Amino acid sequence: MNSWNEGYFTKSTYTYGYYRELSPNFMRWCLLIKGIVAPELTEESFHCELGFGQGISANIHAAATPGTYFGTDFNPAHANLANELAKTSKSGAKFFEESFEEFSKREDLPQFDSIGLHGIWSWISAENRRHIMEIARRHLKSGGMLYNSYNCLPGWAPAAPLRELLAIYDRYSGKSGAARGRVEPALKFAEEMIAAKPAYMNLAPNFAKTFDHIKKHDPDYLAHEYLNLDWDLMYFADVSEISQEAKLDFAAAAIPLEAIEKLNFTAQASEFLNKIDNPTVKEQAADYFINRQFRKDIFVRGIRKISPIERIDKILGTRYILMTPAENVPMKFNTYVGEVNLPANYYRSILEFLQEDSYRPKNFNEYLQRNTIKDIRNLIEPIIILVNGNHIMPCQSESAVQLVKKNCERLNAHICERAIFESAINFLASPITGMGVPVNRFQQIFLSQYKNVGKTADELAAKTWQIFYRQGQRLFKDGKAIESPEENISYIKSMAEGFLRVQLPIFEALGL
Ligand SMILES: C[S@@+](CC[C@H](N)C(=O)[O-])C[C@H]1O[C@@H](n2cnc3c(N)ncnc32)[C@H](O)[C@@H]1O
């Protein structure tokens, strides 16, 4: 290929997403709940993200994880922002503007404790997948973890022709511009075809429903997802075999709930799956029961197991932090096998324990000192369910927190300053968890005003309104612009009161 983009869509930059699965601390914890040893996160650790996009996850993890971060993305606009953020946080991250091929040939890379790639594998060529495996083969430590996510079969099988329709329309449209001008005509074409009821839809009854779901996404996201030259669907076994080139074995899903069998499979499905001896066949067969479209896999180079009792000891010994007020955590949720109702009294006692002392992070040995529990194993399932739902999060060690605190402060201050002008980055870095925390533009402005200007809702409202007023912006309530300054201020004040009462105590506990 002559072009640097190798058929990858580069006419618009990617979205500003954050993914906890790329966090070394989260990867470690997913391995822990499967009883697998993971690298310690220390000052001497090295981590790497491949295809970091706008670099939001990469920078949050570089700032909030001890050690040194590396990464590459061949889109210069992406590398530009990623490096600007790294400079402000002083995390020491080294972000390159190289292709996977160029990066795989570097002679100056360290041995990584973790490598992460999210939203890459299915959208690049087989040759590029080989370059990624070469990076892992040469540079992942023994015991190192690799996170890879990809569109998979069999879940995508019925709707794959829909993607082909969008891609082929675009390829022959003669258009070469930015996302919106290409995505919209392709969507219109597909919509018209669906309205004309092609016979294929009899075979894939969810075709129209999938299209309705797809078309709601942001055009930049859709262009990167569907308009690339490459879009390869694979079964788990295919990816597992390719990963063997770098001596990688599948270890765990970066989806905690998958560690609880009864919440994923009916008794009949479990009985069938548990008769399968080969782990690869079993893992792939499971995808048929779940009808899985997207996998989030953690591979390890040289799996080592810990004993069941050590596993429990370590899960309970980890500190956790509550991410939402205890009373807001729902007591039911949906799984592949239907709705699950949680025993509310038991869960509330756990959540209230974590909320005590202004949300101070706590381990469950402290809970056990105060509560009598018949069997300590009964604590493992609630912990996994609550982490899965993002309601609680595993924390880093106290020493790790000290190492990364300043980097996070600098990165967060910069993101909050940017919030005055735009609402691009809606996440901040927590030194406590080593992960990103969703914080919207208003919350970022309030947080920065609270730290630097004033502490009351009146002060926050007045200062925030000044920012909006200078930019000629108004707030919207029930879809209508609020016109008078007094009404704008009063509306901002009500948001500020909510912020001070509900979010601020959690943000402070998270070290934001
Ligand atoms: C779908 S985006 C995902 C970005 C990010 N991981 C995320 O999830 O937000 C894929 C990224 O991979 C980068 N990319 C694609 N092919 C590449 C290659 N051959 N070498 C380096 N980067 C590549 C693109 O520039 C883009 O930023």
Side-chain angles (χ1 to χ4, degrees), residues 440-491:
N440 66 32
R441 184 183 179 200
F442 271 100
Q443 294 166 345
Q444 288 179 23
I445 293 175
F446 288 155
L447 197 57
S448 141
Q449 304 287 341
Y450 182 85
K451 284 185 185 175
N452 302 309
V453 184
K455 307 259 182 251
T456 67
D458 278 314
E459 285 167 316
L460 294 183
K463 294 287 173 198
T464 307
W465 171 240
Q466 274 172 20
I467 293 170
F468 281 77
Y469 180 71
R470 273 183 42 201
Q471 296 176 9
Q473 293 181 6
R474 302 275 175 284
L475 273 85
F476 277 74
K477 194 175 175 187
D478 304 327
K480 278 211 294 220
I482 307 174
E483 287 308 330
S484 79
E486 295 74 26
E487 280 174 293
N488 273 286
I489 293 173
S490 135
Y491 188 46

Side-chain angles (χ1 to χ4, degrees), residues 354-425:
L354 288 171
Q355 190 161 317
E356 277 168 23
D357 260 352
S358 312
Y359 292 82
R360 171 176 63 80
K362 303 170 196 76
N363 67 32
F364 278 86
N365 296 327
E366 201 177 326
Y367 180 85
L368 288 169
Q369 279 161 15
R370 290 193 245 154
N371 296 274
T372 322
I373 280 213
K374 246 201 253 152
D375 184 342
I376 55 167
R377 282 175 300 186
N378 293 341
L379 273 170
I380 303 299
E381 192 173 299
I383 294 174
I384 293 176
I385 289 175
L386 292 170
V387 172
N388 190 74
N390 262 319
H391 304 303
I392 70 173
M393 221 36 102
C395 301
Q396 312 196 92
S397 66
E398 306 258 14
S399 55
V401 174
Q402 291 313 318
L403 285 169
V404 301
K405 234 165 120 180
K406 283 268 170 260
N407 296 341
C408 293
E409 252 170 46
R410 288 186 284 257
L411 178 66
N412 293 342
H414 177 77
I415 295 174
C416 290
E417 265 165 42
R418 297 294 314 151
I420 292 177
F421 304 105
E422 58 183 16
S423 71
I425 305 176

Side-chain angles (χ1 to χ4, degrees), residues 8 14 19 51 53 73-75 78 98-100 118-120 128:
Y8 189 87
Y14 197 57
Y19 304 94
D73 193 301
F74 67 5
N75 186 322
H78 291 173
E98 295 178 342
S99 69
F100 300 138
H118 181 72
I120 310 288
N128 271 314

